[in-house]
Amino acid sequence: MARFAANLTMLFTEVPFIERFGQASKAGFKAVEFLFPYDYEAGLLAEQLSSHQLEQALFNMPPGDWAAGERGIAALPDRIEEFEQSVDVALHYAQALSCKKVHAMAGILSPDFSVEAHRETFIRNLRYAADRFAVHGICVMIEPLNSRDVPNYFVAHQRDAVELIKAIDRPNVKLQFDVYHAQIMDGDLSVLIKEVADYIGHVQIASVPSRHEPCEGEVNYPFLFGELDKSGYQDWIGCEYNPQQGTLEGLGWVTPYL
């Protein structure tokens, strides 16, 4: 059975970010993930992981101007130099946190460039990042984001991401299979998992359509966990959802797995 990692950007928000590591450990989690580490010194985060005996499962590369609505720069033709610099930053944190998975956010399509120009840039940049990270045994993730939450994001479908992975042609580039996004955009999840299983490097979960605890909504997660088992996936599953009432109050679904 795959194991569950607490997403500290979305869970345990009842306390300041640095205190969430301890809260996750106390709740029974053995790993954490989060969107971005860059507001904190890498050493401080590494201390939290060590003191609470947690593994860092995943984080995102710098996304551009997040506050202004940017959602990554990896596919943006006019941001190549900035992307290369972001690889250095992410690599520093990945090494400090002993993290083996880093998500390269593609970005929102720019009206100034063709879709093909975005695609060529993304392939070029992911090859660059993959080659840099490979030396340290780190995988680069591609995550499709649904067009309802992130309109005009460069990659929205799981199969499109797989085709990009094939074109990038690097063994350490993998699919970040977020079930929430996949259900909204693709559906037919059990068949989809079988089809893309060889490319999956990380999994994330939340209920659909509300993005709350995965014990509600239209996705049968206990069944899907079985399908992931059958597919051979045995790594971390990130709990990337917004608790309905409070984090601890909503953890009953995961207690049997921890």
Side-chain angles (χ1 to χ4, degrees), residues 2-78:
R3 302 156 293 164
F4 293 87
N7 187 298
L8 299 187
T9 303
M10 300 175 77
L11 302 185
F12 304 103
T13 58
E14 298 86 355
V15 300
F17 181 76
I18 290 299
E19 296 179 24
R20 296 175 198 173
F21 293 84
Q23 291 291 305
S25 177
K26 186 177 179 181
F29 289 98
K30 303 301 182 186
V32 297
E33 61 177 39
F34 39 68
L35 291 185
F36 309 110
Y38 310 111
D39 288 340
Y40 303 90
E41 291 292 334
L44 174 61
L45 300 180
E47 288 174 5
Q48 290 297 312
L49 293 170
S50 176
S51 64
H52 296 294
Q53 296 182 309
L54 292 166
E55 182 175 330
Q56 184 69 43
L58 173 85
F59 64 85
N60 295 339
M61 291 179 61
D65 191 342
W66 186 266
E70 291 188 333
R71 293 297 180 264
I73 58 175
L76 304 186
D78 56 345

